[in-house]
Amino acid sequence: MKHPARPLALLAALLALAAPSFAQRQMEKLGRGVVALRVEAQKTFVSWRILGTDPDALAFNLYRAAGAEAPVKLNAAPLLVSNFTDTTADPAKASAYFVRPVLAGREQEPSARFTIAAGAPARNYLSIPLEPPPVTPTPDGRSFSYAANDCSAADLDGDGEYEIILKWDPTNSKDNAFAGYAGNVFLDAYQLDGTRLWRIDLGRNIRAGAHYTQFLVYDLDGDGRAELMCKTADGTIDGAGKVIGDATADWREPAGTIVPSRDKTGSVETKGGGRGASVEGRILRGPEFLTVFDGRTGRALATTDYLPVRGKVADWGDAYANRSDRMNAAVAYLDGTRPSAVFCRGYYTRAVLVAWDWRDGKLTRRWTFDSDDGTPGNEKYQHQGNHGLSIADVDGDGRDDIVYGACTIGSNGKGLYSTGLGHGDALHVSDLDPNRPGLEVFAIHERPSHPHGTDLRDARTGEILWSKPSPDVGRGLAADIDPRHPGYECWASGEGLRGLWNVKGEPISPSKPRSCNFKIWWDGDFLCEILDANRITKWNWEKSTEEPLLVAEDCRSNNGTKSTPCLCADLLGDWREEVVLRTADNKELRIFTTPIPTEHRGYTLMHDPVYRLSVAWQNSAYNQPTHTGFYLGAETKAFPKPDIVLIDSRK
């Protein structure tokens, strides 16, 4: 007689073999990120990081050291939250703050210290002094200057704290739609104390503008220190002063060069006359490279041909490089364990994505997806891209997928689905609706030929859950700003799109915030605040109005009407976000951090993989705000534990 449990045991074993095996993702081993702000003469707000791998029972003791005096413990009992307001400091003395984690009643090693200088003024930002790059005249002889533009953040030196990587844009930078010369683009790296580590000059053969240089800064090889990857060309100078390619080459099209606007051959008529499109200052020919730079020195480690190749410009939809030179880039855990870089070209028509691995000092191509390579079904992915992208594991297999506007490419480089809804300027991916399984995508569409001006879709399947009609939508945002309705609220700018919707698409207010550019977690609750230009506001859901929380005086936003910050990310302190803005004179970056106490405990958002990757791709084309891979809103009780392993360069 057979044992009746054996068939069930065999079935269970087979199912276990068939089930996906999830590995831990390698991520940065961060320090405690202690930051202290003198809010008033005798009131100092201090906050610090909880790590994603910390035990739930981990608590903290906070200490203040003044001069040669012995450190003073400020809390009576160990703190489970990671912020504290000190009302006993003498502002005439320098105060150095640090924490000691406490587990099972035992103190652990102290964190690094954060010092407020004696007599320091009350302010809620850190200052990084800047030195704008030198101006190299362009052939048209017109004057220009430099503005601090997009930033990213990563641990470049392996000390457990973030550095800031800044892109300098010349004031004559150009959108792809316009001809003309532009100055060189520069990339700088700064420690938070203002020390500049290196400067990279991308050279005359990389055109300046939002769509040309998407730079990725991430620990791609798992050594505990981040690298930088971006598109380079003849004449790029690395952080050690070494030239990439031919230093004398100048591939910019000269003044008077035009091409037929609708030419399908991609021919260039130098000094041509008559009707056509000017390509003055554009770069239609010459080699294109992809370079990996050392994060500590800016030294080029490896350079290869940039893929996807430009090829014949007209193959992308026009002959003057409006479509061929629209780039995107992101970091993704395509194998579920180690990060890869994904560099992309095109989205209005043809779309090509190429995945790269940086392992053991070698740069290798993982896969290529091309909407026009003849693979059956790939043609459905034409015309679907955005000025940006998002990364998340949408199908639950433990590996990241690329949400490329109205379509999604799987971790294996094959198309998952295309909605066919077409191009748009904004995209938001997260667990927007906590009452349904999986992730959702809130998207908008520019001049759609269908009734879906904006829509919410299932991130796994592309199923449209609801949509709103509009002939043209320019911006849209998803954020939890009203605690009376479960899930995120959504709103957009476009003809006929009035008011605020809940996550089911139902109208909940005839009014909406005036901006739908960026959001931020800033005050003490789990709701989002609204970030636009140099202002942070709170949505008053009872009055349907905005209330100011921060106005960053003498600071400016970037990228024209996009009004985006240099960076918005959880860089310091507790789980709330910082906003990085440039001063009006471009002589300083200011990192604003919240001075508002919170009773909520949460680990650093940078240890949530979806959030961390959204910081890495934030600078890509039309900057989009960060999102978490889990629902973070009014109903959140606790952050889910991330399945990560921390890489320490010091071991």
Side-chain angles (χ1 to χ4, degrees):
M1 181 177 174
K2 294 182 178 180
H3 197 289
R6 286 181 179 175
L8 295 177
L10 179 60
L11 177 60
L14 291 173
L15 290 174
L17 289 173
S21 177
F22 297 161
Q24 292 180 309
R25 297 179 181 222
Q26 297 179 358
M27 299 195 75
E28 299 153 313
K29 182 174 177 59
L30 298 172
R32 292 297 168 185
V34 177
V35 62
L37 301 171
R38 185 159 286 156
V39 181
E40 298 173 6
Q42 286 189 296
K43 181 184 288 187
T44 303
F45 179 76
V46 189
S47 71
W48 56 93
R49 286 192 192 103
I50 296 174
L51 306 181
T53 54
D54 281 339
D56 292 339
L58 190 74
F60 299 89
N61 288 330
L62 174 64
Y63 291 85
R64 184 189 68 233
E69 299 173 6
V72 176
K73 187 171 74 168
L74 300 177
N75 52 294
L79 301 165
L80 284 173
V81 296
S82 56
N83 68 98
F84 185 88
T85 300
D86 177 18
T87 59
T88 61
D90 183 351
K93 297 180 180 179
S95 296
Y97 292 90
F98 63 94
V99 294
R100 284 182 177 269
V102 180
L103 189 61
R106 293 188 176 183
E107 280 194 330
Q108 301 178 12
E109 291 298 309
S111 70
R113 298 186 177 196
F114 184 95
T115 300
I116 298 180
R123 65 186 193 187
N124 63 335
Y125 64 85
L126 310 183
S127 174
I128 296 178
L130 301 176
E131 180 183 349
V135 172
T136 301
T138 52
D140 59 7
R142 297 180 181 179
S143 62
F144 65 93
S145 59
Y146 277 93
N149 192 252
D150 296 340
C151 290
S152 194
D155 182 3
L156 300 178
D157 53 15
D159 68 351
E161 300 301 335
Y162 285 119
E163 280 74 47
I164 301 295
I165 301 85
L166 164 67
K167 182 180 77 162
W168 286 99
D169 258 10
T171 53
N172 62 354
S173 66
K174 297 290 189 294
D175 183 87
N176 296 52
F178 300 99
Y181 291 103
N184 292 12
V185 176
F186 292 81
L187 296 168
D188 285 358
Y190 295 90
Q191 293 177 326
L192 295 186
D193 65 3
T195 301
R196 193 178 81 191
L197 299 178
W198 45 257
R199 170 170 286 173
I200 295 169
D201 178 358
L202 293 182
R204 65 169 72 96
N205 294 308
I206 294 291
R207 201 167 187 238
H211 305 291
Y212 297 100
T213 296
Q214 325 305 338
F215 59 100
L216 300 179
V217 194
Y218 210 85
D219 180 12
L220 295 166
D221 60 1
D223 67 353
R225 296 182 295 270
E227 294 78 36
L228 181 144
M229 287 184 70
C230 69
K231 186 172 178 282
T232 57
D234 282 336
T236 294
I237 304 173
D238 75 4
K242 183 178 179 180
V243 177
I244 295 171
D246 182 353
T248 65
D250 188 346
W251 295 102
R252 295 172 296 182
E253 295 295 334
T257 309
I258 65 169
V259 297
S261 298
R262 300 183 183 278
D263 181 44
K264 297 301 182 184
T265 68
S267 63
V268 178
E269 301 175 1
T270 304
K271 296 294 183 181
R275 301 175 65 183
S278 169
V279 290
E280 175 183 308
R282 295 181 184 272
I283 300 157
L284 308 183
R285 296 173 287 190
E288 300 176 292
F289 307 129
L290 179 67
T291 300
V292 182
F293 297 92
D294 184 278
R296 293 169 295 180
T297 65
R299 180 174 62 90
L301 299 175
T303 296
T304 190
D305 291 336
Y306 184 87
L307 299 177
V309 297
R310 178 195 298 121
K312 191 167 65 175
V313 171
D315 286 346
W316 300 87
D318 61 61
Y320 57 100
N322 180 27
R323 290 168 174 80
S324 65
D325 278 9
R326 293 191 178 257
M327 314 294 185
N328 278 318
V331 175
Y333 289 79
L334 299 175
D335 65 2
T337 303
R338 304 177 73 180
S340 300
V342 182
F343 282 86
C344 318
R345 188 177 215 135
Y347 37 79
Y348 285 144
T349 51
R350 180 186 180 193
V352 185
L353 293 74
V354 181
W356 297 89
D357 291 338
W358 173 246
R359 308 275 193 269
D360 303 318
K362 295 181 181 180
L363 184 60
T364 58
R365 183 174 63 90
R366 175 178 281 266
W367 51 250
T368 296
F369 173 89
D370 187 344
S371 66
D372 289 24
D373 67 358
T375 300
N378 277 15
E379 71 280 358
K380 296 178 182 179
Y381 294 80
Q382 297 169 349
H383 316 290
Q384 303 305 311
N386 270 28
H387 302 291
L389 72 176
S390 189
I391 304 296
D393 174 14
V394 304
D395 56 7
D397 67 355
R399 298 180 289 270
D400 284 333
D401 310 294
I402 300 97
V403 183
Y404 203 65
C407 62
T408 296
I409 312 303
S411 57
N412 60 357
K414 301 183 185 301
L416 279 183
Y417 65 81
S418 174
T419 66
L421 297 184
H423 167 76
D425 286 3
L427 181 74
H428 306 281
V429 182
S430 184
D431 187 5
L432 306 179
D433 185 349
N435 292 326
R436 67 181 308 276
L439 306 179
E440 293 79 33
V441 179
F442 179 67
I444 64 173
H445 305 285
E446 189 176 59
R447 294 190 292 274
S449 58
H450 50 71
H452 312 290
T454 184
D455 69 280
L456 189 83
R457 74 177 191 252
D458 184 294
R460 180 186 183 113
T461 66
E463 176 192 0
I464 299 174
L465 303 175
W466 57 264
S467 67
K468 305 292 179 181
S470 180
D472 190 15
V473 186
R475 296 288 180 277
L477 187 58
D480 190 14
I481 61 173
D482 188 335
R484 299 173 299 182
H485 305 272
Y488 278 31
E489 283 67 51
C490 304
W491 67 103
S493 63
E495 183 181 335
L497 300 179
R498 298 179 177 85
L500 196 62
W501 313 302
N502 65 17
V503 79
K504 301 299 183 185
E506 301 162 339
I508 59 174
S509 171
S511 301
K512 61 185 176 184
R514 64 183 182 86
S515 167
C516 46
N517 282 339
F518 253 62
K519 61 156 194 65
I520 186 172
W521 282 286
W522 181 260
D523 69 1
D525 59 33
F526 284 148
L527 293 172
C528 290
E529 284 65 58
I530 300 153
L531 170 60
D532 183 50
N534 65 338
R535 294 169 55 87
I536 297 174
T537 59
K538 180 81 169 179
W539 180 249
N540 185 322
W541 56 87
E542 294 177 329
K543 298 180 180 179
S544 293
T545 57
E546 294 177 66
E547 298 175 350
L549 297 180
L550 171 74
V551 178
E553 300 292 346
D554 197 36
C555 287
R556 300 292 184 270
S557 58
N558 290 329
N559 304 315
T561 59
K562 313 302 182 295
S563 299
T564 52
C566 296
L567 180 66
C568 179
D570 180 12
L571 303 174
L572 294 161
D574 60 31
W575 57 271
R576 272 89 57 86
E577 295 180 287
E578 281 66 48
V579 58
V580 183
L581 295 167
R582 61 184 174 94
T583 53
D585 61 4
N586 291 295
K587 296 292 182 66
E588 184 184 350
L589 285 180
R590 292 181 178 174
I591 305 175
F592 289 86
T593 185
T594 183
I596 303 172
T598 180
E599 63 183 17
H600 294 297
R601 176 186 174 102
Y603 56 78
T604 173
L605 297 179
M606 294 295 241
H607 277 169
D608 171 60
V610 170
Y611 181 93
R612 181 63 186 91
L613 297 178
S614 71
V615 173
W617 57 246
Q618 190 178 122
N619 70 79
S620 189
Y622 287 176
N623 302 17
Q624 297 290 286
T626 56
H627 285 287
T628 54
F630 59 91
Y631 174 71
L632 180 52
E635 295 80 36
T636 298
K637 302 301 181 185
F639 291 14
K641 278 292 183 183
D643 193 13
I644 60 175
V645 59
L646 304 184
I647 303 300
D648 190 350
S649 67
R650 293 159 288 185
K651 291 184 178 179

